[in-house]
Amino acid sequence: VLARVLVANRGEIAMRVIRACFDEGVTSVLAVSEADTESLPAQTADEVVIIGPASAPLSYLNLGAVMSAALLMGCDAIHPGYGFLSERPELAELCDRHGVTFIGPPADAIRRGGDKIAARELARSLGIPVGAGSGSVSTAAEAEGVAAQAGYPVLLKAAAGGGGRGMRKVANGHELAGAIAAARSEAETAFGDGRLYVEHYVERARHVEVQVLADRLGSVVHLGDRDCSFQRRYQKLVEEAPASAVPATVRDGLTEAAVTLMRSLGYAGAGTVEFLVDVEHGTFSFLEVNTRVQVEHPLTEMITGIDIVREQLRIAAGEPLSFGQDDVRISGHAFEFRINAETPARGFTPSPGTLRAWTPPAGAGVRLDTHCFAGYRVPPDYDSLLAKLICWGETRASALALAVRALDAFGIAGVDSTLDLHRTLVRHPDVASNEITTRWVEDSFLGAWAADRGSAHPAGKGTAV
Amino acid sequence: MPVDPDHIGRVLDAFEQEEWDEIHLVTADVEIHLIAAPGSQQEAETSHAPPVISPADPPPAGPPPAASPASPPPALAPDGTDLSDSMHRVVAPTPGLFWRAPSPGASPFTELGERVERGEAVCIIELMKLMNTLSATVTGTVVEICARDGERVDAGQVLFRIRAEEP
């Protein structure tokens, strides 16, 4: 049993982990930067240690600062949340060397699962479909050969990728060389690893992922799927679970593939396997493994009743899963809306500042995961996620109806946010009829939304690298 | 909970063993600031500087002095007094962090006195994890770099002065 957990993250996920520690009777010790000493998680955690300046590389991304904070505070475990150090095998290894439990999979599983090219090879070897495409490509000529074989359009992706960085859609051979150069430099900048691979681009696709929990005794179960097709520039805006628009036979294939893959990785803890579902052909292909708890994990908690973060703590303590696959029951439907401090009408530029008003909705089936409060100053140093609004109903239609009311009741002032965009989105007929693909937000929704508002096209030139 | 002296010992051991450069931790009870001696990374572990451990009273109100100069830092040497029409400025469009290189450790986009082409990238402004690359608005010579790498800048702050070439 764990006694003291260092929470090595900030924002809403820090709140989430602190809450799980409370529920498990574990002392939470929060590692904060100097920018976050007054944050809600800093006020909520049992103890706080300042690990460095606001700049993330010197604090939340600083392996030594996080590790030494755990040692100083006498913590027996570190929960890395998502982002920051959560998928760095070096942290898991540091923990091993210093007798601290890393709340996540073994370093080797992070390494093999996190390298996209290696993970594709593993999936292929297990008989799991992977998209037409390549291993690592190093030259434009090599990429041209692979692309011609896979068929245009193709997607260039970074081996170390995530968050859409180092990703480029290429329509034809003429664009390939330029796109490779741009994607490589982006990947170098973001991940320090410029390796790329090529995949056939599926025009009408859904992004579906499977939540997995595995204990350290070899038991691996899945908690069903989530549909994350509402995306802008490969960033998720809205997610829902279960992935009810996908045929049951396909979904069965996904969950089985996910469990097979995680078992083969020697996985332990909470993890997600992402797939692309080809809507026209009813087929799926493996995309990647996320070796951490995900932003959208509350959806699965709402439809299964299983507390994923508490399970993470128990698994890390060496306890067996308290349930088997047959005990997992999917009940109802849930949506999650990412409320970001951004100005959608200006290309989703970040909008830090002080929250003059913060009046979230409340009600049966409404859950809000957030670190915000009225008067909170949203710092310019970190990502723009303010809150995740989760709405659960017995059916998809009732969850959506609840979402309309909850979004309308939500009041935010002082910073711009994506709230208004969500209000329009949930009223769209394509959403009610569930005819969504990964292109829908950018191709069918944002343009019309912007026109209605008389503003510039929000899908226009963004500044993300 | 007061910090256990044994825990401080574990931090010191880890600092030596892992060859970290600098650790600065502040709790309700103690402040620990460890800095590796210059050039110690390849040398013996014992070359680490002696630790500075002090009671934390009062807790630090803000970032340490090294991280936040009270007044704007001296910009890299301005070239001169030429403020004529040929002078162009690159201005921060949003607040954020000013980065002179495309990635940590990479060489800067441009240096003082160098020639830049119109449209050439000169710096990055980082705001909430978004990297916004700024370009030269004119072809000419960089005559002043008005912010330090990594400095927090405000919207509208001048970052570069570029003297345009004769058309």
Side-chain angles (χ1 to χ4, degrees):
Chain A
V1 180
L2 304 177
R4 293 168 62 81
V5 169
L6 186 82
V7 182
N9 213 301
R10 62 176 308 282
E12 68 85 19
I13 193 64
M15 288 302 294
R16 177 71 189 86
V17 177
I18 290 166
R19 201 182 86 207
C21 288
F22 176 88
D23 289 339
E24 286 291 300
V26 172
T27 300
S28 57
V29 181
L30 183 69
V32 297
S33 77
E34 283 158 0
D36 284 332
T37 54
E38 310 283 311
S39 71
L40 190 60
Q43 297 174 51
T44 310
D46 293 316
E47 295 172 36
V48 172
V49 51
I50 303 170
I51 58 168
S55 171
L58 299 174
S59 49
Y60 296 110
L61 285 167
N62 183 340
L63 285 164
V66 167
M67 190 67 229
S68 58
L71 296 174
L72 179 68
M73 302 304 281
C75 294
D76 46 12
I78 296 178
H79 195 306
Y82 54 68
F84 292 131
L85 296 174
S86 61
E87 293 181 278
R88 288 279 296 276
E90 296 88 346
L91 180 59
E93 286 163 348
L94 259 182
C95 283
D96 290 347
R97 280 203 293 282
H98 296 281
V100 171
T101 299
F102 177 73
I103 301 178
D108 172 64
I110 300 176
R111 205 163 258 131
R112 291 197 296 143
D115 185 302
K116 312 255 183 292
I117 293 172
R120 264 172 71 94
E121 283 316 306
L122 175 64
R124 199 198 304 273
S125 75
L126 295 168
I128 296 167
V130 298
S134 69
S136 176
V137 292
S138 38
T139 65
E142 200 184 331
E144 220 161 287
V146 175
Q149 211 164 25
Y152 285 100
V154 294
L155 208 53
L156 291 176
K157 292 184 175 182
R165 288 180 293 183
M167 219 188 264
R168 281 284 187 291
K169 183 185 171 190
V170 184
N172 55 56
H174 303 298
E175 297 176 4
L176 193 61
I180 286 179
R184 176 168 297 145
S185 105
E186 218 173 88
E188 288 272 7
T189 306
F191 315 112
D193 179 350
R195 285 178 305 140
L196 300 176
Y197 63 102
V198 179
E199 233 178 46
H200 174 65
Y201 182 82
V202 181
E203 294 281 358
R204 289 177 50 75
R206 279 180 182 268
H207 175 119
V208 180
E209 60 190 27
V210 177
Q211 176 69 55
V212 174
L213 277 178
D215 65 23
R216 297 187 170 198
L217 309 168
S219 175
V220 183
V221 300
H222 72 81
L223 305 185
D225 50 21
R226 299 184 286 254
D227 189 329
C228 310
S229 301
F230 293 97
Q231 298 184 5
R232 173 188 166 270
R233 299 169 75 92
Y234 311 110
Q235 304 267 5
K236 296 164 188 170
L237 281 180
V238 178
E239 304 97 341
E240 60 177 301
S244 50
V246 176
T249 49
V250 177
R251 294 171 62 197
D252 289 346
L254 295 182
T255 49
E256 193 190 324
V259 169
T260 302
L261 189 71
M262 293 305 235
R263 186 167 280 136
S264 157
L265 274 177
Y267 203 83
T272 301
V273 186
E274 299 190 337
F275 298 92
L276 203 66
V277 172
D278 184 327
V279 172
E280 280 163 62
H281 301 96
T283 55
F284 70 87
S285 55
F286 165 77
L287 278 181
E288 63 184 64
V289 180
N290 295 134
T291 59
R292 52 172 158 81
V293 69
Q294 276 193 287
V295 174
E296 59 271 26
H297 77 275
L299 287 175
T300 301
E301 297 185 325
M302 296 296 275
I303 62 166
T304 61
I306 293 168
D307 187 318
I308 292 170
V309 183
R310 285 182 73 172
E311 291 296 335
Q312 283 189 298
L313 297 177
R314 291 185 203 144
I315 291 166
E319 292 174 35
L321 288 177
S322 57
F323 55 89
Q325 189 64 65
D326 293 342
D327 302 318
V328 178
R329 295 264 182 276
I330 307 295
S331 164
H333 199 99
F335 284 88
E336 177 183 275
F337 303 88
R338 298 194 187 192
I339 315 295
N340 295 333
E342 291 170 354
T343 313
R346 285 182 49 216
F348 291 81
T349 47
S351 171
T354 299
L355 294 170
R356 282 190 288 105
W358 182 262
T359 49
V366 176
R367 166 174 168 180
L368 194 75
D369 280 25
T370 186
H371 59 296
C372 290
F373 54 89
Y376 175 60
R377 191 185 71 88
V378 180
D381 311 273
Y382 312 108
D383 72 36
S384 58
L385 184 65
L386 297 175
K388 306 181 307 201
L389 173 66
I390 303 110
C391 297
W392 180 92
E394 284 179 12
T395 63
R396 187 174 185 276
S398 64
L400 199 55
L402 177 63
V404 169
R405 300 207 308 277
L407 286 161
D408 284 354
F410 207 145
I412 301 174
V415 305
D416 290 336
S417 82
T418 49
L419 197 52
D420 192 52
L421 180 103
H422 289 310
R423 288 179 182 142
T424 309
L425 185 145
V426 290
R427 290 174 162 87
H428 198 288
D430 290 352
V431 176
S433 61
N434 205 351
E435 287 168 66
I436 301 300
T437 69
T438 52
R439 298 295 318 160
W440 183 82
V441 167
E442 285 181 54
D443 292 352
S444 306
F445 176 67
L446 282 180
W449 175 78
D452 279 356
R453 295 172 51 90
S455 59
H457 194 302
K461 188 177 172 297
T463 52
V465 167
Chain B
M1 177 179 115
V3 168
D4 183 332
D6 287 352
H7 296 162
I8 294 173
R10 288 179 73 191
V11 173
L12 295 177
D13 291 346
F15 188 73
E16 295 286 329
Q17 186 187 334
E18 303 292 345
E19 299 184 344
W20 291 323
D21 291 335
E22 181 173 2
I23 295 297
H24 190 178
L25 303 174
V26 182
T27 76
D29 305 302
V30 295
E31 175 167 358
I32 295 186
H33 196 171
L34 307 173
I35 302 171
S40 69
Q41 268 155 308
Q42 287 80 34
E43 294 169 19
E45 295 158 21
T46 49
S47 65
H48 274 53
V52 180
I53 300 174
S54 56
D57 58 319
S68 108
S71 54
L76 294 183
D79 179 50
T81 52
D82 187 354
L83 293 169
S84 66
D85 292 348
S86 66
M87 280 304 236
H88 289 251
R89 305 177 309 168
V90 177
V91 171
T94 62
L97 295 172
F98 172 75
W99 297 113
R100 291 189 51 202
S103 57
S107 47
F109 289 107
T110 186
E111 296 281 4
L112 194 64
E114 274 186 6
R115 184 175 180 277
V116 290
E117 296 270 351
R118 181 195 165 105
E120 185 180 327
V122 291
C123 68
I124 287 172
I125 298 295
E126 175 183 351
L127 176 62
M128 299 185 100
K129 288 172 71 185
L130 279 185
M131 304 292 176
N132 189 2
T133 303
L134 303 189
S135 305
T137 49
V138 67
T139 298
T141 307
V142 177
V143 295
E144 188 179 354
I145 301 174
C146 318
R148 283 185 322 161
D149 193 46
E151 182 182 338
R152 186 172 294 180
V153 297
D154 290 323
Q157 187 170 334
V158 177
L159 306 172
F160 290 90
R161 292 184 204 279
I162 299 171
R163 187 192 295 121
E165 284 175 5
E166 298 298 320

